[in-house]
Amino acid sequence: MYLYSLVATHTTEHWKMSPRTSPAFDNSYARLPGRFYTRQQPVPVSAPGLIRVNHALAAQLGFDAGFLETEAGVELIAGNLMPEGADPIATVYAGHQFGGWNPQLGDGRAILIGEIIDNNGLRHDIQLKGSGRTPYSRGGDGRAPLGPVLREYIVSEAMAVLGVPTSRALAAATTGEMVMREDRLPGAILTRVAQSHIRIGSLQFFAAKKDTKALAVLADHVIQRHFPQAAQVDHPVRAMLDGVIARQADLIAQWQSLGFIHGVMNTDNMLLSGETIDYGPCAFMDEYDPATVFSSIDQGGRYAYRNQPHIAHWNLSMLAQALLPLLADDPDKALASGQAAIDAYPDLFQAAYQRRMHEKLGLSNETGEAQLVQDLLELMQQEKTDFTLTFRRLSDLVAPRTAADNDIGSVFELPDSFTPWLQRWRKELLKSPQDESARQAAMDAVNPVYIARNHLVAEAIDAAIIQQNFEPFHRLVDILLQPFKFKHEHGRYATPPLPEQIVRQTFCGT
Ligand code: AMP
Ligand code: MG
C-alpha cells in the first residue's frame, strides 16, 4: 500500500489522500536530454465528469479503479491533479503526413504524465489526450471533442481483446468545456496507455536535424525498452530495425485479417513498439471492398485497406533512412544494411498474412494454398459479402454447433455462388485432418462475431453528444469485450448496417 498523494496541476500543492494502492512512476523518457520534450502540465478543465474507467486494465497496471471513479480520481484523469511521481512532458517528433514531410510535430494535444511499471514488470506510458495546449500545438487548441475520445476508447479496447497489439484506454472523462470545430462540441480527455509513444517520427525528428547524438540516444532508449535482446548482438541498431519491421509486418497482417482500416498511417502514427496507435478516422470494413477508405481527409485513397501493407513498407523505409547514420560508419555499408532490412518486409508481411488467413479458414499453413484465400476474397468482393461474417460463417460450417445459439446462420448466410469455393475448401480441410470441434474452436478464436462497426460506434457517439446518454457507449464496449461468442439477444450488434445506417466517412479528432 502506498500513500496516494496528488499534486494540483495549477498550484503544485500535494494532495494527501487516504491510503490507496498506486503504481510507482519511473519516468525514463523524462530523463532523456531536454531537447526530446518540454515539461508541461495539463491545462486544468472547469468541470470534469467521469465517462468510464477500464477496471481490468486498471488492475493490471496497479491503479485502484474505485479510486479513479471518485471525485479526486476524475480530477486526475481530467488532468486537474497529478499523481505523485508523475513528471508531465510533451514529446517532440516529426513525420511524413500523407507522404509530405513535416519537420515539426509533437504532442500538441497530449501530455505524457509518466511511466509506470505494471504487476508483471512491464513499463507503460500513461498519457492524457485532449489535455490542453503545449509548445507543439501549432495553432490547435490542444483539446479533443467527445466523439473521437469515445471512438478511440471503443475501437482500441475492441482491438486489444481481438489480440491486436494496441494502445489502450484506461479511462475517459468529459471536461465540462466546449471545443470549437465545425460545430461546438463537448470536450473530453482520454487516458491512453501504451508500451511507449515513441514513433518513427520521433527518430525522424533528430535525423532531419542531423543530430546524430540525439538519434543514438533515442535508438538506445528504444533498444533498452522494446528490444533488449538487440543490445546483445554486434549491430544493435540494425537488430532493432529488424525487430520493428517484423512487429509491424505482423501488426499490419493482423489489421488485414480483421478488415481494420487505420485511416491515417503517417510516420508519426506508427509506434516502434509495434502497437497500433492513433484511432482517428479508423474503422472496420463491413462489406468487403479492398478499395475501402473512410477518412474524410484521405481524398486520394492513400490509406485505403489494400494499400496498408505497402504504406507500412514505405513508412519503415523512412525509419531505415532515419537510422542510416547509426547503421554503419561507412555510408555505403549503412545504406546496404538499411536496404537489406527493409527488403525483408514483403516476405515477412506475406508470411504473417498467409498464416493468419489460413488460421481463419481452419487450414494448417503447410497445406493451405494461397490461391484459396485469394479466390475467396474475390468472391466476397463480387458478392459484396460482409467481411467479418463471411469468415465467421465458415466457422459455423466446419462442425455442428454444440450450443445451438452460437451459430450466426439466423443473421447471415453465404450466397449460393459460394458453393464451388466451399467444396474446394472442404477438400483442403481434409488434407489436415483434425477433430472437428477443435478446428471450430480454433477458427472461432480468430473469427470474431462482434467488431466495432462504424454505424454502432456512430450511434454510441451520437447518443452521448446529442442526448448526453452514455448507455449505448457502455453497452457497445461491454459487448465488444466478448467478441467471439454469438448471442441471439445481441444479434443487432453482429449484423452489418442497413443502407440508411451506413457511415461512409470518419473524421480525425483534430
Ligand atoms: P494526428 O493527425 O492525430 O496524428 O495529429 C497530428 C499532429 O497534430 C500531432 O502533432 C498532434 O499533436 C497535432 N494535433 C492534432 N490535433 C490537435 C489539436 N486539437 N490541438 C493541438 N495539436 C493537435
Ligand atoms: Mg498522431
Side-chain angles (χ1 to χ4, degrees):
M1 296 285 260
Y2 296 85
L3 190 67
Y4 212 113
S5 325
L6 303 176
V7 183
T9 50
H10 33 295
T11 62
T12 67
E13 167 197 346
H14 283 246
W15 284 53
K16 297 288 180 203
M17 309 296 299
S18 54
R20 301 275 180 188
T21 51
S22 140
F25 276 82
D26 177 67
N27 308 315
S28 64
Y29 208 85
R31 290 195 292 271
L32 294 175
R35 58 196 190 282
F36 286 62
Y37 52 80
T38 304
R39 286 212 153 71
Q40 173 74 49
Q41 298 283 337
V43 180
V45 297
S46 58
L50 177 67
I51 300 175
R52 186 171 175 120
V53 169
N54 183 337
H55 281 241
L57 183 60
Q60 185 201 325
L61 297 175
F63 280 100
D64 180 339
F67 166 71
L68 291 178
E69 287 172 341
T70 64
E71 215 171 295
V74 177
E75 295 280 344
L76 191 135
I77 61 179
N80 286 0
L81 294 175
M82 282 293 101
E84 189 162 280
D87 189 355
I89 57 174
T91 73
V92 67
Y93 50 87
H96 281 93
Q97 301 178 303
F98 290 89
W101 171 244
N102 193 330
Q104 171 71 64
L105 292 163
D107 296 326
R109 58 168 160 185
I111 302 279
L112 173 60
I113 68 169
E115 300 157 30
I116 58 117
I117 315 275
D118 77 10
N119 301 340
N120 303 315
L122 294 174
R123 180 180 297 271
H124 302 269
D125 275 4
I126 310 293
Q127 195 200 59
L128 298 182
K129 185 173 172 184
S131 53
R133 301 200 72 227
T134 78
Y136 312 111
S137 296
R138 301 177 300 150
D141 60 2
R143 293 299 183 193
L146 177 58
V149 166
L150 296 182
R151 174 181 295 276
E152 177 155 351
Y153 194 115
I154 295 166
V155 185
S156 67
E157 286 308 300
M159 292 281 271
V161 76
L162 293 173
V164 184
T166 176
S167 71
R168 304 287 306 272
L170 174 63
T174 49
T175 60
E177 297 172 0
M178 302 299 276
V179 294
M180 282 306 297
R181 295 295 182 265
E182 273 165 27
D183 299 317
R184 256 165 67 86
L185 295 164
I189 297 181
L190 183 81
T191 310
R192 181 159 73 178
V193 178
Q195 285 174 34
S196 84
H197 286 81
I198 308 169
R199 309 138 193 275
I200 291 180
S202 310
L203 287 161
Q204 283 183 297
F205 176 80
F206 295 111
K209 285 191 161 337
K210 307 216 182 304
D211 185 347
T212 307
K213 224 175 191 171
L215 191 66
V217 169
L218 186 53
D220 190 54
H221 178 84
V222 171
I223 290 168
Q224 300 303 329
R225 196 159 167 180
H226 299 300
F227 301 94
Q229 0 40 281
Q232 315 300 323
V233 304
D234 284 345
H235 299 288
V237 175
R238 170 64 194 275
M240 174 197 82
L241 176 60
D242 290 341
V244 175
I245 290 171
R247 285 188 198 176
Q248 285 292 339
D250 198 46
L251 180 69
I252 308 301
Q254 252 180 307
W255 291 0
Q256 299 304 97
S257 79
L258 290 163
F260 175 75
I261 301 169
H262 182 279
V264 59
M265 287 176 71
N266 296 334
T267 59
D268 53 303
N269 291 334
M270 266 174 104
L271 294 184
L272 302 182
S273 69
E275 297 168 291
T276 310
I277 189 149
D278 215 313
Y279 292 88
C282 63
F284 285 87
M285 241 188 319
D286 295 303
E287 69 182 38
Y288 178 65
D289 177 358
T292 306
V293 42
F294 287 104
S295 170
S296 59
I297 57 173
D298 191 0
Q299 300 298 338
R302 179 181 170 90
Y303 298 142
Y305 171 80
R306 66 172 161 216
N307 290 350
Q308 296 189 126
H310 311 295
I311 290 292
H313 193 194
W314 189 85
N315 288 349
L316 291 164
S317 64
M318 292 301 112
L319 172 63
Q321 182 79 42
L323 288 172
L324 285 183
L326 306 180
L327 285 174
D329 291 334
D330 172 61
D332 289 335
K333 284 197 180 128
L335 200 60
S337 175
Q339 190 68 49
I342 56 169
D343 285 350
Y345 171 86
D347 285 349
L348 286 171
F349 169 76
Q350 265 313 316
Y353 176 74
Q354 218 43 262
R355 182 172 60 78
R356 293 200 177 269
M357 296 310 276
H358 282 154
E359 264 173 18
K360 286 172 82 71
L361 298 186
L363 299 171
S364 78
N365 213 25
E366 297 78 56
T367 57
E369 51 149 332
Q371 198 52 43
L372 198 65
V373 175
Q374 274 320 305
D375 292 347
L376 173 63
L377 290 172
E378 262 168 46
L379 204 51
M380 287 164 63
Q381 188 180 357
Q382 249 167 48
E383 298 288 341
K384 299 187 184 335
T385 60
D386 185 81
F387 184 90
T388 303
L389 296 183
T390 299
F391 286 102
R392 181 60 181 213
R393 188 65 187 142
L394 297 179
S395 266
D396 284 347
L397 298 180
V398 290
R401 291 284 186 192
T402 38
D405 70 345
N406 204 6
D407 185 305
I408 63 159
S410 60
V411 296
F412 177 82
E413 258 311 344
L414 290 170
D416 290 343
S417 55
F418 276 59
T419 308
W421 184 90
L422 288 170
Q423 283 165 352
R424 276 173 62 204
W425 172 57
R426 284 184 201 283
K427 262 194 211 152
E428 285 295 317
L429 290 177
L430 293 176
K431 289 191 199 162
S432 55
Q434 196 184 357
D435 173 71
E436 277 184 348
S437 54
R439 192 188 318 261
Q440 186 168 59
M443 286 175 71
D444 280 356
V446 292
N447 291 316
V449 180
Y450 302 106
I451 51 155
R453 289 185 190 270
N454 222 353
H455 69 291
L456 299 173
V457 175
E459 179 186 278
I461 291 173
D462 285 351
I465 294 179
I466 300 164
Q467 297 146 19
Q468 290 78 52
N469 175 12
F470 287 82
E471 201 275 332
F473 161 76
H474 290 298
R475 197 170 155 73
L476 181 58
V477 171
D478 290 341
I479 287 171
L480 292 174
L481 288 180
Q482 292 179 43
F484 297 115
K485 197 169 176 355
F486 180 62
K487 295 196 186 85
H488 275 286
E489 67 269 30
H490 297 155
R492 190 175 94 73
Y493 291 86
T495 47
L498 299 168
E500 66 272 22
Q501 293 175 312
I502 295 175
V503 180
R504 299 204 185 273
Q505 281 200 325
T506 49
F507 298 86
C508 285
T510 43

